[in-house]
Structures are given as C-alpha cells and as structure tokens.
Amino acid sequence: MAGHDRAKWAKVAYPPIDYQDAHYYAAPRKKPGPKSLDEVDPELLRTYEKLGIPLHEQALLAGVEVPEGERMPVAVDAVFDSVSVATTFRKTLEEAGVIFCPISEAVKEHPDLVRKYLGTVVPAGDNFFSALNSAVFTDGSFVYVPKGVRCPMELSTYFRINAKNTGQFERTLIVVEEGASVSYLEGCTAPMRDENQLHAAVVELVAMDDASIKYSTVQNWYPGDENGRGGIYNFVTKRGACRGARSKISWTQVETGSAITWKYPSCILQGEGSVGEFYSVAVTNNHQQADTGTKMIHLGRNTRSTIIAKTISAGRSDSTYRGLVRVQPKASGARNFTQCDSLLIGDQCGAHTVPYIESRNMNARIEHEATTSKISEDQLFYCRQRGLSEEDAVGLIVNGFCRDVLKELPMEFAVEAQKLLQISLEGSVG
Amino acid sequence: MSQFLEISGLCARIDADGQEKQILRGVDLSIPSGEVHVIMGPNGSGKSTLSYVLAGREDYEVTAGTATFHGQDLLAMEPEERAAAGLFLAFQSPIELPGVNNANFLRTAVNAVRRARGQEELDAVAFLKMAREAAKALSMAPDMLKRNVNVGFSGGEKKRNEVLQMTLLQPTFAILDETDSGLDVDALRIVAEGVNRLRAPTFSALVITHHQKLLDYLVPDRIHVMARGRIILSGGPELARQIDQEGYTKFLAEVA
Amino acid sequence: MNALSKDMSGPLALFANRLNTLAGPERQAAAGALARTGLPDRKSEAWHYTALRALGKQDYAAPPAQVDDGAVRALLDEVLRAHPAMAGLPRVVFVNGRHAPAFSALPDDVDLAFFAQAPRFGLQAAPDRDPLVALNTALAEDGLYLRVPAGVDGGHVMLVSLGVAGAEPVSFHPRHTVVVEKEAHLRLICVQAGQGAYFHNPVTDIVVEDGARLEHVTVQTEAAQAISLGTLYAHVGHQSVYDSFVLGLGGQLARHEVHARLGATRGVVHVNGAQRLAGQQVGDITSVITHAASDCTSRQTVRNVLDGHARGVFQGKVLVERVAQKTDGYQMNQALLLSADAEIDAKPELEIYADDVRCSHGATVGALDDEQLFYLRSRGIPEHEARQILIDAFLDETIALVTDATAQTFCRAVLAARFAGKGDVA
Ligand SMILES: Nc1ncnc2c1ncn2[C@@H]1O[C@H](COP(=O)(O)OP(=O)(O)OP(=O)(O)O)[C@@H](O)[C@H]1O
Ligand SMILES: [Mg+2]
C-alpha cells in the first residue's frame, strides 16, 4: 500500500493525512428501529429536509414502518459511517429477482456472486486509495439485477459520515446481467466538523450484453468553512466495465461538497458497440479543490463515449477537469465527444482543463471542445433588468450552464441538485 | 399628471478599449405619466445608450445630470430595483441565455418583481396559464415557452419574446428600443396592441424607432429627435411623419 | 566536476565524458542540475508522451573539427533549391552546431555575434527546470546572437542548422539568441536538415520588445536517423507580436518545444504548427503559452498527419495568470491518422486564474471526412487522388496561417518536394 503513488495525477494540494489516525470504521450503536418519525435523530431529519426529500420518503429513509399501499418510488440503503443501517423495499425487489443489500450481507448470502465480480473492475492494487479501501472496507451496497429484468424502482444509497474522525470506506458492487437495467442514486452528506475526514470509497459496475447502468451521485459532503478548515477528503475510485455488447454505463455526478474531491468515474468499453457516458457538474467555492473527470477506455469496435463536464469555480477555490480518452487499436469505429466548460465567478479562483486524448485507430473519431469564461455581463444585466437579484441571476445562469448535465439526473435528484448549486455558491457574488 | 420621468443634463460615457468615449452629452427629457413618447435619431446618436443608462447598465458611466422616476433617484438604484419599481426595457438586441428555460426565466422574473412589489408570488400552474395566454395573444408558438431564452430565436421571435416579458411584468414605464425592427406587418400590429393594452393613465412608454409604421398604431404624444447625444428637437406626432419623408439632414442642419 | 560521473545513470551517461570537463559557473550549475534530475522519463508530466529511449545506447561524441564541405554544400543546396527566393536571402549557416562562415551570407541591417566568441545564455531558459536546457547549457559551443536595432526592419534572415555525421553519432547543442528591439521587425526562417545519426539540441532565447514584430518559421527536415529536441523561449512585450509556425517533417524523434510568455499588455502570440510523419517517426509539438499581462491574445492551430507507424504528440498548455484579465486565447489541434498503426497523443490544457477571459480549445482526431471524400469522387476524382487532395488541404490550412509570403511559399515547396505523388499509402 505504502508503495502507491497517492494523487500524482491530480492537481490538488492537501496536508498529509495520517492514515493510522483515521478510525476506519465506527459502527453506529445498535438500537431497535424507530417506530415513528418522532423517534428519529432530529439531525438526520434536518439533513433529509435540506436535501428536499419529501416527508414520507424521509420516514422510509429513517426506517420507519409505513402502511401498505403508499407510493414507494425509491429503495434506499442508508450507510452511516460505513455501516448499512437500513435497506428499504427489499420485498418488492426480491419479487423482481433484484438483490439490493449491504455488501456485508451479500458476502454471507450470495458468496458466489460476490466472489465472481468483486475486485474484477477495480483490483486492490489499482491505486493507493483503492488499496486502502480494499484493506479496510467495512460495508457498502451490493446490487444484482438478473437477466432481462428492468429494476422496478430507482435504487439509492445514502451515505453519511457521522462520527468524528471517521473514515468512510464503503464498497459498492453493481452487476447487471444481459438485457437488464438499473438506475442507482447515491447521495452523500456529512455534518460540519472542523477536522478533515476521509472518504475513500470504491464503486465497481459490471454490465453484460445489452445491459444498462445509470449511476447518479449528488455529493455534498462538508466542504470545510470559509477559511478552509475542516471538510471531507473525497478520494473515490469509481469504475464501470461494459463487458457485454451494446452495454451502457452512464455516470452522472453533481459535486458540490468536500474540501478536496479527487475522482474519475471511468468506463472500460469492452463490448462491441458499448456506450460510456459521463455527465458532471463540479462546483467549488471558498477554499475547496476539485480534480475530477473521467477515463473512457475504448477497447471494442464501435464503442461510443460522451463526456459533458461543467466546472464552476468561485471564491478562492480551484477546480480541474482531468480526463482521458483512449482508443485502442482494435476499437475501429469508436467515437468520442467531449465538451468541457468552465465558469469562473470572481477573480481569486482557478479553473483548469486537462484532457488526455490518445488514439491508435485510424477509424476512430474524437472530438473535444473546452471553453472557459465568466458569466457574461450582458446576461446578468438582462436578468436584473427583469427584476432578478444578482444572486438569483447568477443561480439561474449557472443552472442554465449546467442544464445538459442536470437533465440527466432522475427527477428527484435534479431538483435537489439545483438547490445545492445555489447553496454552494452562496456569498460568491456581490 | 405629475412628471414621473425627469431626465436633465444627463451625460454618459463608455470606456471603449481604454479610451473614454462620451456618448450622451446632456439629455433633457421629461415624460408625464400616461403618455407615449418617441425618440428618433440617426444611427449611433445615443438612443440605445440612453435606454441602457436608464435601466442601469454598468458599462456606462454617468458623468453629469440626473434622472428621477416617481421622484426617486433612478441612477442610484440597482437594475433589479428599477425593474421592481416598474421600469422595463425591451432590448434592441435581446440576450441569449443558453440552458435557461424561457418559462422558468419568466416565472422567476415575475415572482421577483411581485415579491418586491409586495404582491403574492405565482405558483407554477397559475403562472403557466397566464404565460400561455399572453403568448397566445402575441401569436407566439406555444413551444417558445419551453425553449431556452432567445437561443435560436429568429429576429422577430426575439422581439415578440421581449413584448411577452413586458406583458407579464406589468411595468409602469416601458422603453422599447427598436422593438419594431425585424417584425413582419402582422407582428408589428400585434406588438403595438401589446403596448396599447398596457396603456393607462399610470403607464408611460418611451419608444425608440426609425419608422413611422409603428407610430400609426401607437399614436404617440410627443416626438423627440436625438443627435450626437442630445435631444435637439421635440414636437407633436406630425414631426415623425415629416422625418419619415424628409430624413434627418434638414433638422441636423438647422440646429448645427 | 568529476564527482558528477557516478550520478550519471541512464541516457545521461552518454554525455558523461563531456559533462565532466566543464568550465564556467553556468555550465557547472547546469551540469549539477542535470545530475540531480537526470534526463526526463515518462513519469515526468512534460515527457509523458515522448520517451527519450531513442537517444540510444551509444555515446554522443562532440562533432569533429573537420566536416566534408561537399556534404554540407549538397545539404545547403537542397534547402536553397526548394524555392528560388531562398538563395537570395541573407543566411547564417551552422554545421554541427558551429558557425560555418564559408557557407553563410550574413545580413547587413542587423547586429550579429556568435556564442563561441561571447557566450550569452539569455535570461529565460531555466536549466534547473528543464533537463534538456541544462544539457544544452552545459555543452553549448556556439550559436547565433542576432539583434534587430529599435525601429529597424531587419527583413529576412535564414538560420540554417545542418547536421553532418559519419560513422560515429555526434551531438551538438547550439545556443541562439534573437532580440527584436522596440518597433523593429524581423522575418526569421529557421531550417534544420542533415545526414547521418546525430542529436541536435538547440536552445533559442527570443525577446520581442514593445511594439516589435517577429515572424518566425521553422522548417524541420532533419535526417532520418536524427534526434532533434529543440527548446525555444519567447518573451513578448507590450503591443508586440510573435508569430510562429513550425513544419515538422524529419528526424526519427523530434520535439519542438515553445515557451511563449506574454509579459506586457496587448501582446499577440501565434504558436502554429504542422507535422507530417511516416515510418517509425515520433514528432512532438509542445508549447506553454503564458498570459502574464492583461489584454493579450494567443492563437494556436496545430495539425498532424500520421502514416505508417508514426506517432504524433501535441501538448499545448495555455496558462492565464491572475493579472491577465481580458485574455483572449484560442487553441485547436487536429490529427489525421492515415494508417492502422499510426498514433496520436494530445493534451491540450487550460490553466486559468483570471475570470474575465475568453479561452477555448478544441481537438479532433479521425480519418478523412467521408462526406468530403464522396463529394470529390462524385465529381469524378479518383479516390486516391481525392484523399491526397484532402490531406494536402488539411495541412495547407495551417501553412496558410504563415503571414510572411516567402516563408509560406518555402513551406509549401518543401512539403511538395517531400510528398509529391507519395503520401497516402493506406
Ligand atoms: N460598448 C461600446 N463600446 C464602444 N462604443 C460604444 C459602445 N456602446 C455604444 N457605443 C457607441 O456610442 C454611440 C451611440 O450608440 P447607441 O447604441 O446608443 O446608438 P443608437 O442611437 O442606439 O443607434 P442605432 O440607431 O443604430 O441603434 C455609437 O457611436 C456607438 O458605437
Ligand atoms: Mg440603438
């Protein structure tokens, strides 16, 4: 582990972390499940409220039993401090043949499946943080969608770092068999703490022939205060393998939190005609740093990838898009389109774009475009002439700037994401 | 009626590529409420500049003069405060807002203004109903509300969209900067009707135009001619017809 | 500096004999820096795509004192023949990194001097940050110092660098300085050519003072076995223009690295280039354009046409410092792969710290456009010819960016002479 380079690739600066000092794993004290919302930790409810999750869903999230017949749109596996505390809708999913459970449980109940796929996309030795995760991971979610099944509901894991000084090292594995599909949402929050906490998750996706996986993240871990004290170090390894022909993996992320974000959700496009997508909004304010992007590795014929990355920097923050598009010799007919746009708000921040484009196939086509600009004075004035405050006008224009990404999010998340954008840019104008 | 817009000795300049360029050189103009005034004048004489200065665009530096609106110092207000106070500018070149949905933009603006005016905000359903009706009255295709603000709109569509915004924001003072240019004959009539519907003893408008046609529908109270950053001549509606026929040369020569 | 030798592992060992006998503080400091860093390998971000393994296992000797005049004459004639106007231009000829007065035709209106007589290392090149500059600093023997006095139009000057190697590989490390003083103007045409196995490692230090203009075209047709790794620094003053273009055609491994710094307001920089490579060639165009003052403009268009097993590299960074408000930066790099084994690696990069800027870049990689091809063929042009037309047009669009008409015609002629009737073998 110690032999691994930490984050050489990334353009972030962070004080050395004492990995011995982080408590890898803090199991929440076991209590019987709450019977009504009144029994639920009020801080937890506030978090949900902030996220705009409607109350009946909050009840579900908090593991409160609900009467039969209520609308149940999202199945949730809530992970606090790396331990799954509640997985909802197990029954409905089981009927469809979908497995959605804490990975600790999957190891016991479905050992063959776990053994067959875990670590096949992200080997333990992949990078320093994945090695750390492999050594200490305690829980996470496991999803298995059998052949031909369209998962009947959105699946969601809700991560939260609760305890002081805890590292969160959960591990997620999603396997979707031939012709099956799933949409998976991941929400993350952490309450304010003034020490830095580490989040080093590993997510592996496997898609077989004609399978499709949509993985959406809204990340608002605590970013630290306006002086850059505290906040989460978010070093996540996310990678999907499009193993089957015509399989599709789509990553959508809205990153507004964390003191430092370092993640590159990637697609290995192996199956003929497989498709990888990456839609990203990264917002940084105050002293936040984000270095995020994707890797699209085209191995198979006629593979396609699309990258849309929107970067917004405000305050004294720095934000970098870093991406790799690689077309290997066998990937005839491969296509990539990349669009990276950066928006700067204020003159103390930085926005950087670092794409790596490598092609070894004459029949592949790659197009990359990047722009950097600030919010146009004309647009701002036009909105204000119509009566919008400067802050609202910025919010509106920023949301417009991010629209191509936000529209990829499931409805519930899109609304929440828009709010988050606004919140994280608070105080950045005027 | 009281003089609700008073402009006196207004001078403004712009910093263009490091060089100070004086554009407005002492504009005097007063518009009583309930009246429609027109500014005509050669290209580059400063008409749009005046409208931007009144709406509060920051690029222009006011170097002298005053402008009051309902007795308030207009020049001290933020653009959105002016909007809330009832001032509306239909831009000569409406701005495109990529990714910003037109309906959403309109609702945000309408509610911001309503909030500032102490009116209740409109929910999405009520707003959409109102917006659709207004759009229909302007013969706008229904999908214009769903598209991004002005992005990919034709010249005429942009102008109609400006008028739609005006209709929804209910200003007491509207500046229409060449809203008639680029419009087909039917659209011209529709736009004029849009303005006429707002006409009331409490509503005034300043119409910037090069053409008599719009004025046939609007029936203005006064015509002003602007040249080299000043109002050089004012008169009744007949002045517009005279300019339409004879051009500016004669008037410019007279003052020079 | 004998202590150095034990630190010189890897490619550096190839120069060990010469690095151990240096005089002067600059050279010793450079050799020290080099010993600390070694020559870059692919772990170094700046050399991620270009390995220096090709430097080989053999020692690189200092060039011999005597060179075969006939060989030099033949190489020079080939350069001058490309275009009738060339023979009439003033020229400074270097052979194996040393000035060759017999072949030069020195210009009148500019001030000339030579590094061999009065070493000048310039202010911009940083041996401690760039090992190849350190190597040059340590081993430089000669080079051109050219100054165009304030207000003078220096016309055209050709700087011809010829490498002539026999059985033993040689390396040469010329150190050039070009100063275009206030309101002056110069059209500089650099030509690199040669025969045999040699390593050409020039460092060029350019200053374009306020209101001055330098049009700089480099035509690189090094010998097939040559390695050519050139580093160029340009400082661009207030309202001055540095307009550059490189045409990369030769060498087994060639890198043209430009560091252009817009150090005062309203400067303009163009760092354009084109490469056409085949066989096992590796060609690398790398640039760092730094906007260090407000209201400056930078433009970059780089195109690669790659055939056979050739590999093209483009790395282009545009750095906008916090003070550089109202920067206008645009960069485009495009590549055509003509064979199944060709490869392009590109890394366009924006690093931006000022908010009121307009910066963009674009990149495309692909084969010829099918629709264009079809259009030509539907007009009766045979496919092979149609492809040829499109390839030529693709490169010609970059050559069209060269503002100096003589240099532009020269580039076209060199390209035509090399590729007439050849080219697209796919
Ligand atoms: N941002 C600017 N930079 C430089 N010059 C400007 C700017 N804005 C306005 N001007 C100049 O100020 C003068 C007045 O412009 P303005 O747009 O107000 O004219 P106008 O009367 O509206 O003309 P038109 O009838 O053509 O619309 C013109 O000469 C114009 O070029
Ligand atoms: Mg105008």
Side-chain angles (χ1 to χ4, degrees):
Chain A
M1 212 159 76
H4 283 280
D5 284 343
R6 248 147 291 219
K8 252 212 177 138
W9 213 51
K11 184 182 172 11
V12 294
Y14 59 94
I17 303 169
D18 183 350
Y19 296 95
Q20 302 307 320
D21 200 39
H23 301 261
Y24 297 136
Y25 162 55
R29 265 169 298 143
K30 274 264 170 347
K31 273 195 276 179
K35 283 279 173 290
S36 81
L37 274 176
D38 302 338
E39 287 177 38
V40 175
D41 176 5
E43 199 188 338
L44 212 68
L45 285 179
R46 263 198 301 280
T47 313
Y48 294 147
E49 252 166 47
K50 240 174 61 191
L51 290 171
I53 300 171
L55 207 68
H56 72 278
E57 281 168 41
Q58 289 183 29
L60 296 173
L61 279 172
V64 180
E65 289 141 48
V66 261
E68 282 294 308
E70 286 258 324
R71 213 182 113 243
M72 303 173 175
V74 185
V76 176
D77 184 16
V79 178
F80 296 109
D81 299 336
S82 304
V83 175
S84 260
V85 294
T87 305
T88 55
F89 297 109
R90 303 268 303 255
K91 281 262 151 52
T92 327
L93 291 170
E94 264 163 34
E95 277 158 26
V98 175
I99 303 170
F100 179 36
C101 66
I103 208 158
S104 54
E105 198 178 305
V107 171
K108 279 178 242 147
E109 315 243 317
H110 314 278
D112 293 348
L113 279 176
V114 174
R115 199 173 310 124
K116 185 166 168 200
Y117 293 106
L118 192 74
T120 62
V121 187
V122 181
D126 190 73
N127 65 55
F128 175 82
F129 293 107
S130 67
L132 180 62
N133 175 288
S134 297
V136 302
F137 88 88
T138 47
D139 214 339
S141 306
F142 175 67
V143 175
Y144 179 80
V145 188
K147 192 169 163 177
V149 172
R150 287 185 51 152
C151 185
M153 58 183 66
E154 308 264 3
L155 303 184
S156 169
T157 299
Y158 177 74
F159 295 116
R160 183 171 135 125
I161 300 182
N162 226 7
K164 263 178 116 175
N165 248 338
T166 323
Q168 176 130 348
F169 303 94
E170 79 285 343
R171 180 132 197 158
T172 302
L173 172 62
I174 300 178
V175 179
V176 179
E177 294 282 12
E178 195 181 323
S181 67
V182 69
S183 167
Y184 188 89
L185 320 175
E186 176 192 82
C188 330
T189 52
M192 285 203 254
R193 301 257 181 255
D194 59 10
E195 310 98 296
N196 298 98
Q197 291 163 292
L198 175 65
H199 180 237
V202 169
V203 176
E204 292 177 276
L205 313 183
V206 179
M208 308 310 282
D209 285 0
D210 297 296
S212 126
I213 303 176
K214 185 174 174 61
Y215 195 106
S216 313
T217 306
V218 172
Q219 183 265 113
N220 70 330
W221 301 115
Y222 177 54
D225 64 16
E226 65 277 11
N227 299 314
R229 240 193 339 262
I232 303 287
Y233 291 168
N234 184 25
F235 301 155
V236 179
T237 308
K238 287 183 167 169
R239 193 174 306 159
C242 283
R243 299 230 168 111
R246 298 166 305 278
S247 56
K248 174 174 173 181
I249 289 180
S250 178
W251 299 100
T252 304
Q253 60 173 32
V254 175
E255 302 281 325
T256 66
S258 297
I260 298 176
T261 295
W262 179 59
K263 62 180 273 205
Y264 314 93
S266 307
C267 296
I268 298 161
L269 303 168
Q270 222 168 340
E272 189 170 334
S274 59
V275 175
E277 294 174 339
F278 176 73
Y279 299 99
S280 168
V281 169
V283 183
T284 54
N285 198 355
N286 298 322
H287 288 263
Q288 281 177 280
Q289 298 174 62
D291 195 306
T292 182
T294 184
K295 298 182 189 183
M296 294 288 174
I297 313 292
H298 292 257
L299 300 174
R301 296 170 66 87
N302 298 322
T303 46
R304 282 178 291 140
S305 62
T306 302
I307 300 171
I308 310 279
K310 306 281 178 175
T311 302
I312 298 143
S313 320
R316 294 175 171 276
S317 68
D318 259 295
S319 193
T320 304
Y321 166 82
R322 189 180 305 274
L324 168 68
V325 174
R326 176 181 288 157
V327 178
Q328 298 289 40
K330 294 219 172 76
S332 274
R335 290 197 56 111
N336 161 268
F337 174 77
T338 302
Q339 173 81 48
C340 302
D341 296 310
S342 308
L343 198 62
L344 291 139
I345 301 177
D347 58 3
Q348 295 298 311
C349 51
H352 320 301
T353 312
V354 193
Y356 295 70
I357 301 162
E358 306 174 4
S359 178
R360 295 209 225 156
N361 189 295
M362 64 183 288
N363 297 314
R365 194 175 280 272
I366 302 174
E367 280 171 74
H368 170 99
E369 284 171 30
T371 63
T372 303
S373 54
K374 67 169 189 169
I375 292 179
S376 116
E377 294 294 342
D378 281 348
Q379 293 177 345
L380 214 55
F381 174 63
Y382 190 70
C383 292
R384 294 177 71 192
Q385 206 304 301
R386 299 304 184 242
L388 271 62
S389 70
E390 191 168 3
E391 201 143 274
D392 287 346
V394 168
L396 195 77
I397 293 166
V398 166
N399 268 311
F401 175 77
C402 299
R403 215 188 75 93
D404 289 345
V405 173
L406 297 180
K407 77 179 188 341
E408 294 297 324
L409 285 173
M411 264 303 272
E412 299 86 339
F413 261 34
V415 177
E416 176 187 331
Q418 293 203 6
K419 278 189 215 153
L420 275 179
L421 287 185
Q422 203 115 11
I423 293 169
S424 35
L425 289 174
E426 258 166 31
S428 64
V429 287
Chain B
M1 280 290 145
S2 63
Q3 303 282 317
F4 89 155
L5 183 79
E6 275 292 349
I7 303 168
S8 107
L10 191 63
C11 293
R13 67 181 180 197
I14 193 157
D15 176 15
D17 287 329
Q19 284 181 338
E20 306 269 291
K21 186 168 172 183
Q22 194 70 37
I23 303 174
L24 300 185
R25 300 157 193 270
V27 175
D28 296 309
L29 182 65
S30 58
I31 302 178
S33 59
E35 293 194 359
V36 170
H37 285 213
V38 171
I39 295 190
M40 304 181 85
N43 295 136
S45 54
K47 305 180 297 294
S48 295
T49 303
L50 176 64
S51 68
Y52 286 138
V53 169
L54 293 180
R57 193 170 154 143
E58 273 154 19
D59 315 9
Y60 298 92
E61 187 194 346
V62 175
T63 51
T66 58
T68 58
F69 185 49
H70 289 301
Q72 274 181 288
D73 179 2
L74 192 61
L75 302 178
M77 294 158 78
E78 294 293 319
E80 60 268 32
E81 291 171 352
R82 304 183 200 203
L87 184 150
F88 179 88
L89 168 63
F91 287 55
Q92 183 174 2
S93 331
I95 308 298
E96 300 185 359
L97 302 175
V100 178
N101 172 279
N102 207 12
N104 190 24
F105 170 68
L106 286 167
R107 179 158 93 96
T108 317
V110 166
N111 279 339
V113 168
R114 290 179 74 96
R115 218 168 31 239
R117 293 178 188 163
Q119 294 165 328
E120 207 175 312
E121 294 187 27
L122 296 177
D123 65 30
V125 179
F127 170 78
L128 267 180
K129 190 161 168 283
M130 190 174 101
R132 285 210 192 96
E133 276 163 19
K136 208 168 140 207
L138 291 165
S139 300
M140 290 172 71
D143 80 318
M144 300 289 253
L145 286 169
K146 291 188 201 139
R147 287 167 60 180
N148 292 339
V149 181
N150 294 328
V151 177
F153 284 26
S154 77
E157 286 168 344
K158 283 185 184 168
K159 295 300 169 78
R160 282 188 222 208
N161 198 32
E162 293 290 288
V163 176
L164 173 67
Q165 294 179 30
M166 179 177 75
T167 312
L168 294 174
L169 288 170
Q170 297 281 317
T172 54
F173 177 53
I175 307 170
L176 301 164
D177 189 355
E178 295 196 32
T179 306
D180 54 338
S181 61
L183 290 182
D184 61 42
V185 256
D186 292 336
L188 193 66
R189 192 173 33 80
I190 291 164
V191 164
E193 280 165 10
V195 178
N196 282 333
R197 266 198 294 277
L198 288 174
R199 286 191 85 155
T202 51
F203 173 82
S204 304
L206 180 61
V207 177
I208 297 171
T209 184
H210 290 295
H211 308 289
Q212 171 60 33
K213 196 83 197 136
L214 179 67
L215 306 182
D216 290 345
Y217 294 112
L218 279 186
V219 198
D221 296 287
R222 272 189 93 65
I223 311 288
H224 308 277
V225 177
M226 183 174 236
R228 282 180 235 102
R230 255 191 221 119
I231 304 290
I232 55 160
L233 187 67
S234 301
E238 70 289 349
L239 183 56
R241 270 186 294 275
Q242 211 179 334
I243 289 169
D244 206 38
Q245 279 151 23
E246 300 170 22
Y248 292 113
T249 339
K250 179 180 152 214
F251 301 102
L252 295 181
E254 271 171 24
V255 268
Chain C
M1 291 248 77
N2 277 327
L4 276 181
S5 54
K6 64 172 177 293
D7 302 328
M8 286 189 208
S9 52
L12 212 49
L14 308 175
F15 305 95
N17 289 338
R18 287 152 76 192
L19 286 173
N20 283 330
T21 55
L22 298 175
E26 287 99 344
R27 293 177 193 281
Q28 294 200 356
L34 199 52
R36 276 193 304 279
T37 60
L39 285 175
D41 58 23
R42 293 177 83 153
K43 273 187 237 145
S44 145
E45 187 61 31
W47 292 85
H48 183 66
Y49 285 126
T50 300
L52 290 179
R53 279 194 307 272
L55 273 177
K57 304 272 178 286
Q58 288 164 290
D59 285 347
Y60 286 98
Q66 288 299 316
V67 184
D68 172 11
D69 272 5
V72 175
R73 175 53 65 193
L75 284 167
L76 182 60
D77 281 350
E78 199 183 329
V79 170
L80 300 180
R81 254 204 325 269
H83 177 45
M86 305 317 284
L89 298 182
R91 62 175 179 265
V92 189
V93 178
F94 282 78
V95 176
N96 291 344
R98 295 175 187 136
H99 181 221
F103 296 95
S104 295
L106 300 182
D108 297 327
D109 299 334
V110 303
D111 181 18
L112 288 188
F114 292 91
F115 184 96
Q117 278 80 54
R120 276 185 240 238
F121 289 98
L123 295 173
Q124 302 176 73
D128 52 334
R129 266 179 289 146
D130 187 338
L132 284 170
V133 170
L135 187 64
N136 174 287
T137 304
L139 299 179
E141 278 185 48
D142 203 353
L144 172 67
Y145 173 85
L146 189 163
R147 184 180 69 90
V148 187
V152 168
D153 184 345
H156 282 94
V157 173
M158 280 180 85
L159 170 56
V160 183
S161 300
L162 303 174
V164 182
E168 192 187 27
V170 297
S171 80
F172 41 96
H173 310 261
R175 188 71 170 233
H176 306 298
T177 301
V178 176
V179 180
V180 187
E181 289 188 348
K182 284 191 177 135
E183 311 283 335
H185 187 177
L186 179 69
R187 295 164 199 84
L188 179 64
I189 301 175
C190 293
V191 184
Q192 301 167 354
Q195 65 176 47
Y198 58 86
F199 170 34
H200 184 194
N201 169 222
V203 169
T204 309
D205 190 291
I206 291 175
V207 176
V208 189
E209 293 186 357
D210 295 355
R213 180 179 178 89
L214 174 59
E215 290 160 81
H216 183 195
V217 170
T218 304
V219 175
Q220 185 274 102
T221 54
E222 302 272 23
Q225 296 171 65
I227 293 174
S228 179
L229 305 171
T231 312
L232 188 150
Y233 290 82
H235 175 89
V236 182
H238 172 66
Q239 278 187 333
S240 55
V241 177
Y242 175 62
D243 181 350
S244 73
F245 176 78
V246 61
L247 179 62
L249 302 173
Q252 58 159 313
L253 167 65
R255 166 146 151 157
H256 182 78
E257 180 173 329
V258 177
H259 296 256
R261 184 178 173 82
L262 289 149
T265 54
R266 288 165 201 249
V268 175
V269 151
H270 294 205
V271 185
N272 298 322
Q275 295 189 116
R276 182 156 182 184
L277 309 172
Q280 303 284 340
Q281 284 183 292
V282 177
D284 176 339
I285 294 180
T286 289
S287 65
V288 179
I289 298 174
T290 302
H291 285 257
S294 67
D295 298 284
C296 294
T297 302
S298 64
R299 292 281 176 274
Q300 181 165 43
T301 300
V302 171
R303 287 187 174 174
N304 273 288
V305 173
L306 304 162
D307 205 344
H309 289 77
R311 198 155 68 80
V313 176
F314 168 76
Q315 303 184 101
K317 176 167 173 168
V318 176
L319 169 64
V320 178
E321 295 183 354
R322 194 135 278 154
V323 293
Q325 294 294 356
K326 306 245 185 272
T327 285
D328 180 355
Y330 175 77
Q331 179 191 66
M332 178 54 103
N333 84 87
Q334 292 166 296
L336 268 184
L337 301 184
L338 299 182
S339 93
D341 299 311
E343 176 176 344
I344 177 76
D345 296 311
K347 186 186 164 202
E349 187 177 351
L350 295 171
E351 185 169 343
I352 296 178
Y353 296 96
D355 63 333
D356 192 4
V357 299
R358 275 220 325 265
C359 285
S360 61
H361 69 218
T364 64
V365 177
L368 290 172
D369 186 280
D370 286 336
E371 272 181 38
Q372 292 176 346
L373 208 54
F374 173 72
Y375 185 75
L376 288 169
R377 295 174 68 189
S378 75
R379 297 293 179 265
I381 301 166
E383 180 176 356
H384 180 83
E385 204 177 321
R387 296 176 74 91
Q388 199 54 54
I389 289 171
L390 292 177
I391 294 164
D392 288 349
F394 181 77
L395 286 184
D396 200 67
E397 278 181 346
T398 61
I399 294 173
L401 298 171
V402 174
T403 46
D404 169 14
T406 308
Q408 193 186 70
T409 321
F410 177 57
C411 287
R412 289 205 170 105
V414 170
L415 202 60
R418 248 178 130 85
F419 289 97
K422 288 193 266 169
D424 176 24
V425 292

